[in-house]
RNA sequence: CGGGGCGUGGCUCAGCCUGGCUAGAGCGCCUGGUUCGGGACCAGGAGGUCGGAGGUUCGAAUCCUCUCGCCCCGACCA
């Protein structure tokens, strides 16, 4: 057997990740465009599944899709002090267009709070116009210095929800509602357990009052911020003069939220489930859920096997699961098995002359590698079960990994020694739960060894209040500290 | 953006230090045949001017300058 083309996780996790993306045919670097990638059909199909799952939930919670311009007047970014400061270093700016230098440069959107703020001001006059619940699917550009496919690229795809409300309470409800939507998709569709929490003030979105996030743990123990939901307070309302008349006739600024997830989710998906053989996709996000590989030698065998294959595919199709028959002439069955394995297809069905003779079929699961031989009459019923089982097994395994790599620490030295040697390549990462005050001083202390507060969990699963390991002041719960992407 | 590494058929790479015949190999690809239960084999064949630009030279993949991109490390970030 040929050597695996994929670097083993234990050898170099970062190289493994890249190999999985490449061999899974998900994406490739855009070579001629710095820091960008080409998302290939196999990768984009996963994005389309995630889009559909998310979009359905957005619609179900009352949101409507819109589209705002890619180009934003530069002055808009400057209207919110923290916002401009946060984004200035990573902006791409258009200064020449139509062969002429522009009077006012356009920024290529790094996010759309500002331009949407401008239109909110036009559209909102009364409390009757609220809440305004919008979402847009878009591409954005942030000039990143270091890129990794899906995890951080200069251009990426995302959705950004933008809402305006008449009270802070209602806005906050929205922020947490959408955080729940993200957690739901992450856990129930992507089989990726997450911790919901609040970002420290040092880590929050530039311009937000508060930022909430879902944090996932990758197989190397590093944290991946997988979705964010911001309470913007009245910051953008003030900056863009988005005022409304209340029921009582007073004028007030709207309370806004924004929330987003991106193609980064795909990176998280890959680093949650894939193995040394390549991509592993949970059934619910797999564009192709099952592939049937026919095996035959002679023409008469071929005819019989393919006939049975099509009959079985039709039976299974009636259960709502499409079976792709890999009837390519060139590659041997073995080559086909490796091909689909690397691409993460959840179930591979093997059907050869022996099976045809015995009315059997072989079913193999991508995650466990387990093969089962079953009567053809049972396969249509069995496939949905196997897919469901794989979905829940993947989630359970990821959950278990999260659990077993989460540790408590009661001093800053302890935190440091746990995380000291952790890198994206070597792995060994942990989520360290420690009492820590939400104070930039504490964030700075962690930064000395390249760790960050990932979030202050919404639900405290540990021992409640304690003393901050940096300042000694009382805090009400442990926070998640980790190295991250 | 700083440090390091690297760009040679589709892919992985050799050649470069010490310029010089028609630029090589393996894999992949195409054709034909034999194969086919975990990456098949034989035969024939197509395909590169060496990331790009400029320079030195009788002569550049090889030396020099600039530039673009990729990877790794660091500072910044979804």
């Amino acid at each position: 057997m040929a050597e695996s083309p994929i670097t083993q996780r234990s050898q170099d996790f970062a190289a493994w990740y890249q190999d999985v993306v490449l061999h899974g045919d998900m994406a490739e670097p855009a070579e001629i465009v710095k820091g960008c990638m080409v998302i290939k059909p196999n990768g984009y199909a996963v994005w389309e599944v995630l889009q559909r799952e998310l979009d359905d939930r957005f619609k179900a919670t009352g949101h409507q899709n819109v589209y705002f311009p890619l180009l934003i007047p530069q002055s808009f970014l400057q209207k919110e002090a923290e916002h401009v400061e946060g984004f200035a270093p990573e902006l791409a700016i258009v200064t020449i267009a139509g062969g002429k230098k522009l009077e006012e440069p356009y920024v290529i959107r790094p996010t759309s709070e500002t331009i949407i703020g401008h239109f909110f001001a036009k559209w909102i006059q009364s409390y009757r116009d609220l809440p305004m619940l919008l979402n847009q699917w878009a591409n954005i550009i942030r000039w990143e210095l270091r890129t990794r496919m899906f995890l951080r690229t200069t251009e990426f795809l995302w959705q950004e929800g933008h809402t305006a409300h008449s009270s802070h309470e209602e806005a906050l409800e929205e922020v947490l509602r959408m955080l729940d939507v993200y957690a739901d998709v992450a856990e129930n569709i992507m089989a990726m357990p997450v911790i919901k929490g609040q970002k420290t003030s040092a880590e929050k979105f530039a311009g937000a009052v508060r930022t909430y996030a879902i944090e996932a743990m990758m197989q190397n123990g590093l944290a991946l911020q997988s979705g964010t939901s911001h309470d913007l307070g009245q910051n953008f309302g003030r900056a863009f003069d988005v005022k409304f008349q209340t029921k009582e006739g007073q004028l007030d600024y709207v309370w806004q939220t924004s929330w987003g997830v991106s193609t980064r989710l795909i990176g998280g998906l890959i680093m949650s489930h894939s193995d040394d053989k390549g991509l592993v996709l949970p059934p619910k996000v797999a564009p192709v859920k099952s592939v049937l590989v026919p095996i035959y030698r002679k023409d008469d065998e071929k005819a019989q096997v393919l006939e049975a294959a099509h009959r079985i595919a039709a039976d299974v199709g009636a259960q709502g699961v499409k079976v792709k028959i890999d009837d390519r002439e060139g590659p041997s069955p073995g080559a086909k098995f490796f091909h689909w394995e690397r691409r993460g297809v959840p179930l591979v069905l093997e059907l050869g002359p022996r099976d045809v003779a015995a009315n059997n079929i072989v079913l193999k699961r991508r995650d466990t590698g387990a093969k089962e031989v079953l009567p053809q009459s049972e396969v249509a019923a069995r496939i949905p079960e196997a897919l469901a089982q794989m979905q829940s097994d993947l989630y359970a395994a990821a959950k278990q990994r999260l659990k077993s790599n989460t540790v408590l620490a009661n001093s800053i030295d302890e935190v440091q020694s746990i995380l000291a040697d952790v890198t994206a390549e070597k792995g060994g990462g942990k989520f360290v739960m420690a009492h820590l005050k939400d104070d930039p001083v504490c964030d700075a202390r962690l930064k000395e060894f390249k760790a960050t507060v990932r979030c202050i969990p919404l639900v405290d699963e540990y021992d409640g209040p304690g003393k901050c390991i940096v300042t000694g002041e009382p805090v009400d719960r442990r926070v998640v500290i980790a190295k991250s992407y």
Side-chain angles (χ1 to χ4, degrees):
Chain A
M1 183 172 122
E3 224 168 285
S4 170
I6 294 169
T7 307
Q8 304 296 285
R9 280 167 293 190
S10 57
Q11 193 188 325
D12 182 339
F13 191 88
W16 165 82
Y17 172 75
Q18 199 179 354
D19 285 345
V20 172
V21 171
L22 258 16
H23 288 280
D25 214 19
M26 301 286 278
E28 65 180 56
E31 61 189 23
I32 45 166
V33 188
K34 188 179 174 64
C36 293
M37 66 173 167
V38 176
I39 303 176
K40 300 186 76 178
N42 211 36
Y44 202 85
V46 171
W47 180 235
E48 287 177 314
V49 172
L50 295 175
Q51 278 187 303
R52 199 185 63 235
E53 295 289 347
L54 289 160
D55 204 64
D56 286 351
R57 287 166 174 78
F58 298 159
K59 300 282 170 56
T61 43
H63 303 83
Q64 290 181 298
N65 283 333
V66 290
Y67 189 79
F68 288 87
L70 171 68
L71 301 176
I72 300 176
Q74 189 169 24
S75 59
F76 276 34
L77 271 290
Q78 289 156 358
K79 289 192 182 186
E80 212 289 328
E82 265 189 55
H83 195 64
V84 63
E85 194 189 325
F87 281 104
E90 38 185 320
L91 296 179
I93 302 175
V94 178
T95 58
I96 298 173
K100 283 187 191 162
K101 188 166 185 290
L102 294 172
E103 278 191 29
E104 181 183 353
Y106 287 117
V107 165
I108 300 178
R109 69 174 158 234
T111 178
S112 302
E113 276 75 8
T114 59
I115 195 164
I116 290 178
H118 173 88
F119 285 95
F120 273 1
K122 266 180 83 169
W123 298 340
I124 295 168
Q125 276 98 45
S126 148
Y127 73 93
R128 295 180 197 277
D129 297 323
L130 299 174
M132 189 162 282
L133 307 173
L134 305 180
N135 174 65
Q136 86 169 347
W137 290 95
N139 58 333
I140 63 182
I141 284 191
R142 296 180 184 177
W143 214 256
E144 299 292 351
L145 301 179
R146 182 169 175 190
T147 57
R148 307 180 199 240
M149 284 188 287
F150 290 115
L151 301 174
R152 171 162 294 107
T153 47
T154 295
E155 180 183 9
F156 60 94
L157 304 180
W158 78 345
Q159 58 68 217
E160 44 180 326
H162 294 272
T163 68
H165 305 264
S166 54
S167 73
H168 197 192
E169 296 67 43
E170 189 186 303
L172 201 50
E173 270 174 38
E174 167 77 4
V175 168
L176 295 173
R177 178 182 305 121
M178 301 324 286
L179 190 70
D180 284 342
V181 164
Y182 291 157
D184 176 33
V185 171
E187 301 203 321
N188 298 318
I189 303 301
M190 300 172 63
M192 186 171 80
V194 294
I195 296 175
K196 291 187 284 188
Q198 189 181 334
K199 287 289 180 181
T200 60
S201 54
E203 293 277 334
K204 73 178 172 57
F205 175 72
V209 171
R210 270 192 292 263
T211 289
Y212 295 87
I214 51 172
E215 294 284 330
M217 179 189 280
M218 304 295 102
Q219 289 186 60
N220 60 354
L222 264 65
L224 184 75
Q225 183 179 123
S226 306
T228 52
S229 189
H230 313 295
D231 169 10
L232 301 177
Q234 293 179 305
N235 291 350
F236 287 88
R238 272 191 216 95
F240 287 88
D241 201 33
V242 191
K243 280 187 278 205
F244 72 102
Q245 199 160 22
T246 66
K247 210 177 242 175
E248 294 75 32
Q250 309 292 314
L251 275 184
D252 196 5
Y253 291 113
V254 296
W255 300 84
Q256 286 176 242
T257 80
S258 68
W259 26 274
V261 294
S262 71
T263 37
R264 170 178 260 199
L265 285 176
I266 297 173
L269 188 68
I270 294 167
M271 289 195 292
S272 292
H273 306 302
S274 297
D275 61 23
D276 288 340
K277 295 178 205 158
L279 192 62
V280 175
L281 292 174
K284 287 187 182 176
V285 296
V288 176
K289 298 188 194 331
S290 70
V291 171
L292 189 154
V293 176
I295 300 157
Y296 48 78
R297 304 175 206 208
K298 305 172 194 105
D299 282 349
D300 57 328
E301 283 180 352
K302 177 178 172 181
Q304 287 183 326
V305 168
L306 288 181
E307 187 277 326
H310 283 100
R311 180 168 41 75
I312 290 163
D315 286 354
V316 180
Q319 299 297 307
V321 180
K322 190 176 176 207
V323 176
K324 180 184 175 69
I325 298 174
D326 184 356
D327 56 2
R328 289 174 296 161
E329 285 295 340
S332 65
K336 290 178 182 177
F337 296 144
F338 280 101
H339 176 80
W340 296 112
E341 184 170 77
R342 282 198 303 267
R343 295 168 72 100
V345 172
L347 294 177
V348 170
L349 305 172
E350 307 181 17
L351 185 69
R354 292 206 299 266
D355 303 306
V356 170
N359 266 300
N360 283 337
I361 188 161
V362 179
L363 184 155
K364 184 175 181 187
R365 244 173 80 166
R366 174 62 185 85
D367 58 334
T368 59
K371 277 187 186 183
E372 63 182 291
V373 180
L374 64 163
Q376 289 172 19
S377 58
E378 291 173 20
V379 70
R382 180 65 189 132
I383 283 183
E385 284 172 15
L387 290 172
Q389 189 63 47
M390 177 170 167
Q391 182 79 27
S392 64
D393 287 355
L394 284 175
Y395 177 79
K399 183 90 176 173
Q400 177 55 38
R401 193 178 60 242
L402 170 60
K403 206 172 163 186
S404 60
N405 287 304
T406 299
V407 297
L408 302 189
N410 295 309
S411 73
I412 189 73
D413 288 342
E414 204 181 333
V415 176
Q416 179 160 6
S417 75
I418 293 166
L419 295 176
D421 295 327
V422 175
T423 66
E425 297 72 39
K426 288 186 294 181
K430 302 270 188 256
F431 278 13
V432 184
M433 306 302 301
H435 288 101
L436 194 75
K437 194 182 172 207
D438 179 4
D439 181 331
V441 168
C442 299
D443 293 276
R445 184 73 182 80
L446 298 180
K447 203 170 171 182
E448 289 171 20
F449 49 93
K450 299 175 182 66
T452 49
V453 175
R454 299 319 303 163
C455 69
I456 305 160
L458 292 185
V459 178
D460 181 13
E461 294 181 5
Y462 297 91
D463 50 0
K467 279 188 180 154
C468 172
I469 57 173
V470 171
T471 67
E473 295 172 60
V475 293
D476 76 339
R477 69 188 62 181
R478 291 175 186 265
V479 305
V480 181
I481 299 169
K483 286 192 175 171
S484 69
Y485 277 99

